[in-house]
Amino acid sequence: MTRSARKRAGAALAAVAVLAGLAGCQDGDGASKPAAPASATPATQSMEEAARAVRAAYARAAASKSAKVEMRVMVSGGQAPGGSTFTGVQAWGPPTADLKVFDSSYLADIPGAPVESRVLTAGGATFVDVGEGWIAQTGGKRWLRIDSRGVAAGDELLLQLTAGLSMVNADLPEELGLLAASPAVKHLGPARASGVPAQVYGGDLSGGKRVEVWIGADGYPLRTVVEAETGGVRTRISTNYSGYGTKTAVKAPAAEDTVGLAELLKGLGRG
């Protein structure tokens, strides 16, 4: 590989590291297990009552359309365990997001990669800020573009590299709707989320996924934990929600400031 190709590879790795961070980090230092009930009192709500409470939270979240989020994404097993933290604003219907990425073991493992990065979702695509240090290696382009349609088209490498995009574009109402409809939904008891009293509900969904939600006294979701395991790789994302209805005006970066992930990878192949 030529020197210029190695530089472009570094830029691609730095951006892909952010995408890998969207898939999570292993349980360990910094990992937070679902909070234990604050009281030893057994759960008292029936399955019907539990489903009703989750449906009400779904309705409130759906009507709000957006919220401030703080996510810790974790992965254990497989070839790329590690983790990243994301904070910012997430919206659903259609999905948009403006998130800062930091405390990332993936970025820390790449010499010259930015300590922090930014991820935007708008107009059916997700954009990763490669940082000032990599602009020269991406032809002067600041943003790496991942088109959802391109990923869906079936490119195996792109599918692997962008598997975590569903995390940053998570649809909270959709998750709650699936949980409310699950015959396994249960009331797990009282707990606290960020110091606020809440009731915890959870259940296993199809596809090896488990969802738990902390619902405050006002009926809004305060926290969710989503876990899934595929092929021996366990993914876990815990999200704290606040500021429902926060306005967000996410705009896609100008086309001249972006480079497509597929385009960058093809360039590396030619190198």
mmCIF file of all heavy atoms in Angstrom, residues 21-64:
data_model
loop_
_atom_site.group_PDB
_atom_site.id
_atom_site.type_symbol
_atom_site.label_atom_id
_atom_site.label_comp_id
_atom_site.label_asym_id
_atom_site.label_seq_id
_atom_site.Cartn_x
_atom_site.Cartn_y
_atom_site.Cartn_z
ATOM 1 N N GLY A 21 -18.099 2.331 17.390
ATOM 2 C CA GLY A 21 -18.549 2.759 18.708
ATOM 3 C C GLY A 21 -20.057 2.772 18.823
ATOM 4 O O GLY A 21 -20.609 2.643 19.917
ATOM 5 N N LEU A 22 -20.742 2.909 17.696
ATOM 6 C CA LEU A 22 -22.201 2.874 17.712
ATOM 7 C C LEU A 22 -22.698 1.479 18.008
ATOM 8 O O LEU A 22 -23.865 1.287 18.339
ATOM 9 C CB LEU A 22 -22.762 3.332 16.360
ATOM 10 C CG LEU A 22 -22.424 4.760 15.949
ATOM 11 C CD1 LEU A 22 -22.965 5.027 14.564
ATOM 12 C CD2 LEU A 22 -22.990 5.753 16.935
ATOM 13 N N ALA A 23 -21.818 0.491 17.887
ATOM 14 C CA ALA A 23 -22.222 -0.874 18.178
ATOM 15 C C ALA A 23 -21.888 -1.266 19.600
ATOM 16 O O ALA A 23 -22.307 -2.312 20.062
ATOM 17 C CB ALA A 23 -21.545 -1.842 17.207
ATOM 18 N N GLY A 24 -21.105 -0.479 20.312
ATOM 19 C CA GLY A 24 -21.016 -0.676 21.733
ATOM 20 C C GLY A 24 -19.696 -1.036 22.329
ATOM 21 O O GLY A 24 -18.679 -1.027 21.691
ATOM 22 N N CYS A 25 -19.704 -1.393 23.617
ATOM 23 C CA CYS A 25 -18.507 -1.759 24.354
ATOM 24 C C CYS A 25 -18.812 -2.803 25.391
ATOM 25 O O CYS A 25 -19.923 -2.971 25.807
ATOM 26 C CB CYS A 25 -17.866 -0.524 24.994
ATOM 27 S SG CYS A 25 -17.860 -0.477 26.758
ATOM 28 N N GLN A 26 -17.795 -3.554 25.790
ATOM 29 C CA GLN A 26 -18.012 -4.675 26.679
ATOM 30 C C GLN A 26 -18.332 -4.220 28.088
ATOM 31 O O GLN A 26 -17.956 -3.150 28.511
ATOM 32 C CB GLN A 26 -16.767 -5.570 26.711
ATOM 33 C CG GLN A 26 -15.546 -4.886 27.277
ATOM 34 C CD GLN A 26 -14.335 -5.773 27.176
ATOM 35 O OE1 GLN A 26 -14.330 -6.766 26.479
ATOM 36 N NE2 GLN A 26 -13.310 -5.423 27.896
ATOM 37 N N ASP A 27 -19.075 -5.076 28.810
ATOM 38 C CA ASP A 27 -19.320 -4.808 30.213
ATOM 39 C C ASP A 27 -17.994 -4.857 30.935
ATOM 40 O O ASP A 27 -17.190 -5.746 30.742
ATOM 41 C CB ASP A 27 -20.258 -5.860 30.821
ATOM 42 C CG ASP A 27 -21.681 -5.659 30.335
ATOM 43 O OD1 ASP A 27 -22.011 -4.547 29.913
ATOM 44 O OD2 ASP A 27 -22.443 -6.623 30.392
ATOM 45 N N GLY A 28 -17.764 -3.895 31.776
ATOM 46 C CA GLY A 28 -16.505 -3.804 32.488
ATOM 47 C C GLY A 28 -16.428 -2.447 33.102
ATOM 48 O O GLY A 28 -17.423 -1.882 33.530
ATOM 49 N N ASP A 29 -15.233 -1.841 33.156
ATOM 50 C CA ASP A 29 -15.119 -0.508 33.710
ATOM 51 C C ASP A 29 -15.988 0.440 32.905
ATOM 52 O O ASP A 29 -15.880 0.534 31.694
ATOM 53 C CB ASP A 29 -13.656 -0.030 33.673
ATOM 54 C CG ASP A 29 -12.787 -0.842 34.607
ATOM 55 O OD1 ASP A 29 -13.356 -1.521 35.509
ATOM 56 O OD2 ASP A 29 -11.567 -0.804 34.436
ATOM 57 N N GLY A 30 -16.829 1.199 33.601
ATOM 58 C CA GLY A 30 -17.695 2.156 32.936
ATOM 59 C C GLY A 30 -19.003 1.566 32.478
ATOM 60 O O GLY A 30 -19.904 2.273 32.088
ATOM 61 N N ALA A 31 -19.137 0.240 32.505
ATOM 62 C CA ALA A 31 -20.381 -0.374 32.091
ATOM 63 C C ALA A 31 -21.383 -0.293 33.226
ATOM 64 O O ALA A 31 -21.035 -0.442 34.381
ATOM 65 C CB ALA A 31 -20.139 -1.843 31.714
ATOM 66 N N SER A 32 -22.622 -0.046 32.892
ATOM 67 C CA SER A 32 -23.647 0.046 33.918
ATOM 68 C C SER A 32 -24.703 -1.004 33.685
ATOM 69 O O SER A 32 -25.303 -1.072 32.629
ATOM 70 C CB SER A 32 -24.291 1.442 33.910
ATOM 71 O OG SER A 32 -24.813 1.717 32.640
ATOM 72 N N LYS A 33 -24.904 -1.853 34.663
ATOM 73 C CA LYS A 33 -25.946 -2.862 34.597
ATOM 74 C C LYS A 33 -27.300 -2.184 34.809
ATOM 75 O O LYS A 33 -27.378 -1.107 35.380
ATOM 76 C CB LYS A 33 -25.729 -3.906 35.699
ATOM 77 C CG LYS A 33 -24.451 -4.718 35.517
ATOM 78 C CD LYS A 33 -24.581 -5.701 34.383
ATOM 79 C CE LYS A 33 -23.378 -6.627 34.314
ATOM 80 N NZ LYS A 33 -23.485 -7.571 33.201
ATOM 81 N N PRO A 34 -28.397 -2.833 34.385
ATOM 82 C CA PRO A 34 -29.702 -2.271 34.702
ATOM 83 C C PRO A 34 -29.818 -2.063 36.201
ATOM 84 O O PRO A 34 -29.433 -2.920 36.991
ATOM 85 C CB PRO A 34 -30.682 -3.343 34.193
ATOM 86 C CG PRO A 34 -29.930 -4.038 33.110
ATOM 87 C CD PRO A 34 -28.496 -4.027 33.561
ATOM 88 N N ALA A 35 -30.326 -0.895 36.613
ATOM 89 C CA ALA A 35 -30.385 -0.571 38.023
ATOM 90 C C ALA A 35 -31.254 -1.560 38.772
ATOM 91 O O ALA A 35 -32.313 -1.962 38.309
ATOM 92 C CB ALA A 35 -30.957 0.835 38.203
ATOM 93 N N ALA A 36 -30.770 -1.982 39.927
ATOM 94 C CA ALA A 36 -31.555 -2.872 40.758
ATOM 95 C C ALA A 36 -32.723 -2.096 41.342
ATOM 96 O O ALA A 36 -32.630 -0.895 41.571
ATOM 97 C CB ALA A 36 -30.678 -3.438 41.876
ATOM 98 N N PRO A 37 -33.838 -2.767 41.574
ATOM 99 C CA PRO A 37 -34.971 -2.080 42.180
ATOM 100 C C PRO A 37 -34.574 -1.394 43.468
ATOM 101 O O PRO A 37 -33.794 -1.911 44.255
ATOM 102 C CB PRO A 37 -35.977 -3.213 42.420
ATOM 103 C CG PRO A 37 -35.640 -4.237 41.380
ATOM 104 C CD PRO A 37 -34.139 -4.160 41.245
ATOM 105 N N ALA A 38 -35.103 -0.182 43.674
ATOM 106 C CA ALA A 38 -34.757 0.571 44.858
ATOM 107 C C ALA A 38 -35.385 -0.014 46.107
ATOM 108 O O ALA A 38 -35.012 0.320 47.214
ATOM 109 C CB ALA A 38 -35.217 2.017 44.688
ATOM 110 N N SER A 39 -36.365 -0.902 45.927
ATOM 111 C CA SER A 39 -37.049 -1.511 47.052
ATOM 112 C C SER A 39 -37.129 -3.005 46.826
ATOM 113 O O SER A 39 -37.154 -3.489 45.705
ATOM 114 C CB SER A 39 -38.462 -0.931 47.206
ATOM 115 O OG SER A 39 -39.227 -1.701 48.095
ATOM 116 N N ALA A 40 -37.136 -3.751 47.926
ATOM 117 C CA ALA A 40 -37.246 -5.202 47.811
ATOM 118 C C ALA A 40 -38.694 -5.633 47.590
ATOM 119 O O ALA A 40 -38.984 -6.807 47.454
ATOM 120 C CB ALA A 40 -36.710 -5.869 49.073
ATOM 121 N N THR A 41 -39.616 -4.683 47.573
ATOM 122 C CA THR A 41 -41.023 -4.989 47.363
ATOM 123 C C THR A 41 -41.230 -5.640 45.996
ATOM 124 O O THR A 41 -40.761 -5.114 44.987
ATOM 125 C CB THR A 41 -41.867 -3.707 47.440
ATOM 126 O OG1 THR A 41 -41.632 -3.083 48.692
ATOM 127 C CG2 THR A 41 -43.338 -4.034 47.292
ATOM 128 N N PRO A 42 -41.890 -6.783 45.934
ATOM 129 C CA PRO A 42 -42.097 -7.440 44.637
ATOM 130 C C PRO A 42 -42.925 -6.565 43.697
ATOM 131 O O PRO A 42 -43.706 -5.725 44.130
ATOM 132 C CB PRO A 42 -42.869 -8.715 45.021
ATOM 133 C CG PRO A 42 -42.613 -8.911 46.475
ATOM 134 C CD PRO A 42 -42.450 -7.531 47.051
ATOM 135 N N ALA A 43 -42.729 -6.777 42.408
ATOM 136 C CA ALA A 43 -43.538 -6.057 41.436
ATOM 137 C C ALA A 43 -45.005 -6.424 41.643
ATOM 138 O O ALA A 43 -45.337 -7.582 41.888
ATOM 139 C CB ALA A 43 -43.090 -6.431 40.026
ATOM 140 N N THR A 44 -45.866 -5.434 41.563
ATOM 141 C CA THR A 44 -47.275 -5.666 41.867
ATOM 142 C C THR A 44 -48.182 -5.497 40.663
ATOM 143 O O THR A 44 -49.360 -5.840 40.728
ATOM 144 C CB THR A 44 -47.745 -4.692 42.970
ATOM 145 O OG1 THR A 44 -47.521 -3.344 42.531
ATOM 146 C CG2 THR A 44 -46.985 -4.941 44.262
ATOM 147 N N GLN A 45 -47.701 -4.976 39.566
ATOM 148 C CA GLN A 45 -48.555 -4.728 38.409
ATOM 149 C C GLN A 45 -48.705 -5.984 37.562
ATOM 150 O O GLN A 45 -47.749 -6.739 37.368
ATOM 151 C CB GLN A 45 -47.998 -3.595 37.559
ATOM 152 C CG GLN A 45 -47.957 -2.250 38.283
ATOM 153 C CD GLN A 45 -47.408 -1.147 37.401
ATOM 154 O OE1 GLN A 45 -47.311 -1.302 36.182
ATOM 155 N NE2 GLN A 45 -47.035 -0.035 38.011
ATOM 156 N N SER A 46 -49.890 -6.179 37.058
ATOM 157 C CA SER A 46 -50.133 -7.300 36.161
ATOM 158 C C SER A 46 -49.524 -7.014 34.797
ATOM 159 O O SER A 46 -49.089 -5.888 34.511
ATOM 160 C CB SER A 46 -51.641 -7.522 36.005
ATOM 161 O OG SER A 46 -52.221 -6.410 35.323
ATOM 162 N N MET A 47 -49.521 -8.027 33.920
ATOM 163 C CA MET A 47 -48.984 -7.829 32.579
ATOM 164 C C MET A 47 -49.802 -6.779 31.828
ATOM 165 O O MET A 47 -49.250 -5.953 31.096
ATOM 166 C CB MET A 47 -48.995 -9.140 31.807
ATOM 167 C CG MET A 47 -48.296 -9.054 30.449
ATOM 168 S SD MET A 47 -48.343 -10.588 29.508
ATOM 169 C CE MET A 47 -50.035 -10.548 28.917
ATOM 170 N N GLU A 48 -51.133 -6.776 32.036
ATOM 171 C CA GLU A 48 -51.980 -5.790 31.372
ATOM 172 C C GLU A 48 -51.654 -4.381 31.849
ATOM 173 O O GLU A 48 -51.591 -3.433 31.047
ATOM 174 C CB GLU A 48 -53.454 -6.096 31.633
ATOM 175 C CG GLU A 48 -53.979 -7.360 30.952
ATOM 176 C CD GLU A 48 -53.534 -8.642 31.654
ATOM 177 O OE1 GLU A 48 -53.012 -8.543 32.797
ATOM 178 O OE2 GLU A 48 -53.691 -9.726 31.067
ATOM 179 N N GLU A 49 -51.417 -4.222 33.151
ATOM 180 C CA GLU A 49 -51.066 -2.915 33.693
ATOM 181 C C GLU A 49 -49.701 -2.469 33.193
ATOM 182 O O GLU A 49 -49.488 -1.292 32.880
ATOM 183 C CB GLU A 49 -51.085 -2.961 35.220
ATOM 184 C CG GLU A 49 -52.473 -3.119 35.814
ATOM 185 C CD GLU A 49 -52.436 -3.369 37.309
ATOM 186 O OE1 GLU A 49 -51.535 -4.115 37.754
ATOM 187 O OE2 GLU A 49 -53.299 -2.835 38.024
ATOM 188 N N ALA A 50 -48.779 -3.422 33.111
ATOM 189 C CA ALA A 50 -47.445 -3.098 32.610
ATOM 190 C C ALA A 50 -47.513 -2.639 31.160
ATOM 191 O O ALA A 50 -46.904 -1.636 30.772
ATOM 192 C CB ALA A 50 -46.525 -4.313 32.745
ATOM 193 N N ALA A 51 -48.264 -3.376 30.349
ATOM 194 C CA ALA A 51 -48.395 -3.010 28.935
ATOM 195 C C ALA A 51 -49.053 -1.642 28.795
ATOM 196 O O ALA A 51 -48.658 -0.832 27.937
ATOM 197 C CB ALA A 51 -49.216 -4.069 28.200
ATOM 198 N N ARG A 52 -50.029 -1.337 29.647
ATOM 199 C CA ARG A 52 -50.715 -0.049 29.598
ATOM 200 C C ARG A 52 -49.745 1.095 29.922
ATOM 201 O O ARG A 52 -49.757 2.147 29.269
ATOM 202 C CB ARG A 52 -51.887 -0.044 30.574
ATOM 203 C CG ARG A 52 -52.811 1.165 30.425
ATOM 204 C CD ARG A 52 -53.943 1.120 31.441
ATOM 205 N NE ARG A 52 -54.635 -0.159 31.383
ATOM 206 C CZ ARG A 52 -54.790 -0.973 32.429
ATOM 207 N NH1 ARG A 52 -54.309 -0.640 33.604
ATOM 208 N NH2 ARG A 52 -55.443 -2.106 32.286
ATOM 209 N N ALA A 53 -48.896 0.894 30.931
ATOM 210 C CA ALA A 53 -47.940 1.928 31.317
ATOM 211 C C ALA A 53 -46.928 2.177 30.203
ATOM 212 O O ALA A 53 -46.573 3.328 29.908
ATOM 213 C CB ALA A 53 -47.213 1.517 32.597
ATOM 214 N N VAL A 54 -46.471 1.101 29.542
ATOM 215 C CA VAL A 54 -45.502 1.256 28.456
ATOM 216 C C VAL A 54 -46.158 1.923 27.253
ATOM 217 O O VAL A 54 -45.544 2.753 26.580
ATOM 218 C CB VAL A 54 -44.882 -0.103 28.084
ATOM 219 C CG1 VAL A 54 -43.942 0.048 26.884
ATOM 220 C CG2 VAL A 54 -44.112 -0.693 29.267
ATOM 221 N N ARG A 55 -47.428 1.579 26.977
ATOM 222 C CA ARG A 55 -48.136 2.234 25.864
ATOM 223 C C ARG A 55 -48.295 3.730 26.122
ATOM 224 O O ARG A 55 -48.168 4.557 25.203
ATOM 225 C CB ARG A 55 -49.513 1.587 25.651
ATOM 226 C CG ARG A 55 -49.480 0.271 24.907
ATOM 227 C CD ARG A 55 -50.858 -0.099 24.373
ATOM 228 N NE ARG A 55 -51.817 -0.266 25.465
ATOM 229 C CZ ARG A 55 -52.050 -1.422 26.089
ATOM 230 N NH1 ARG A 55 -51.373 -2.504 25.730
ATOM 231 N NH2 ARG A 55 -52.949 -1.497 27.050
ATOM 232 N N ALA A 56 -48.550 4.099 27.371
ATOM 233 C CA ALA A 56 -48.682 5.522 27.697
ATOM 234 C C ALA A 56 -47.352 6.246 27.490
ATOM 235 O O ALA A 56 -47.315 7.374 26.987
ATOM 236 C CB ALA A 56 -49.159 5.683 29.136
ATOM 237 N N ALA A 57 -46.251 5.592 27.879
ATOM 238 C CA ALA A 57 -44.926 6.186 27.667
ATOM 239 C C ALA A 57 -44.629 6.308 26.182
ATOM 240 O O ALA A 57 -44.034 7.301 25.727
ATOM 241 C CB ALA A 57 -43.861 5.336 28.353
ATOM 242 N N TYR A 58 -45.056 5.303 25.425
ATOM 243 C CA TYR A 58 -44.905 5.355 23.965
ATOM 244 C C TYR A 58 -45.619 6.580 23.396
ATOM 245 O O TYR A 58 -45.061 7.319 22.565
ATOM 246 C CB TYR A 58 -45.472 4.079 23.350
ATOM 247 C CG TYR A 58 -45.931 4.222 21.919
ATOM 248 C CD1 TYR A 58 -45.019 4.124 20.869
ATOM 249 C CD2 TYR A 58 -47.263 4.490 21.620
ATOM 250 C CE1 TYR A 58 -45.434 4.284 19.557
ATOM 251 C CE2 TYR A 58 -47.679 4.643 20.314
ATOM 252 C CZ TYR A 58 -46.767 4.549 19.282
ATOM 253 O OH TYR A 58 -47.174 4.714 17.990
ATOM 254 N N ALA A 59 -46.846 6.818 23.841
ATOM 255 C CA ALA A 59 -47.628 7.940 23.319
ATOM 256 C C ALA A 59 -46.959 9.271 23.646
ATOM 257 O O ALA A 59 -46.908 10.174 22.804
ATOM 258 C CB ALA A 59 -49.042 7.901 23.893
ATOM 259 N N ARG A 60 -46.425 9.417 24.847
ATOM 260 C CA ARG A 60 -45.769 10.664 25.237
ATOM 261 C C ARG A 60 -44.494 10.883 24.429
ATOM 262 O O ARG A 60 -44.223 11.989 23.960
ATOM 263 C CB ARG A 60 -45.463 10.651 26.739
ATOM 264 C CG ARG A 60 -46.691 10.892 27.601
ATOM 265 C CD ARG A 60 -46.366 10.741 29.088
ATOM 266 N NE ARG A 60 -47.454 11.214 29.921
ATOM 267 C CZ ARG A 60 -48.556 10.535 30.180
ATOM 268 N NH1 ARG A 60 -48.718 9.327 29.645
ATOM 269 N NH2 ARG A 60 -49.498 11.043 30.960
ATOM 270 N N ALA A 61 -43.704 9.829 24.265
ATOM 271 C CA ALA A 61 -42.464 9.962 23.503
ATOM 272 C C ALA A 61 -42.755 10.276 22.041
ATOM 273 O O ALA A 61 -42.109 11.136 21.427
ATOM 274 C CB ALA A 61 -41.635 8.679 23.616
ATOM 275 N N ALA A 62 -43.747 9.599 21.465
ATOM 276 C CA ALA A 62 -44.083 9.819 20.056
ATOM 277 C C ALA A 62 -44.549 11.247 19.821
ATOM 278 O O ALA A 62 -44.185 11.873 18.821
ATOM 279 C CB ALA A 62 -45.153 8.827 19.617
ATOM 280 N N ALA A 63 -45.353 11.772 20.767
ATOM 281 C CA ALA A 63 -45.857 13.134 20.610
ATOM 282 C C ALA A 63 -44.751 14.169 20.757
ATOM 283 O O ALA A 63 -44.801 15.231 20.137
ATOM 284 C CB ALA A 63 -46.960 13.398 21.637
ATOM 285 N N SER A 64 -43.735 13.862 21.545
ATOM 286 C CA SER A 64 -42.633 14.810 21.777
ATOM 287 C C SER A 64 -41.708 14.918 20.580
ATOM 288 O O SER A 64 -41.076 15.955 20.357
ATOM 289 C CB SER A 64 -41.834 14.388 23.006
ATOM 290 O OG SER A 64 -42.635 14.422 24.162
#
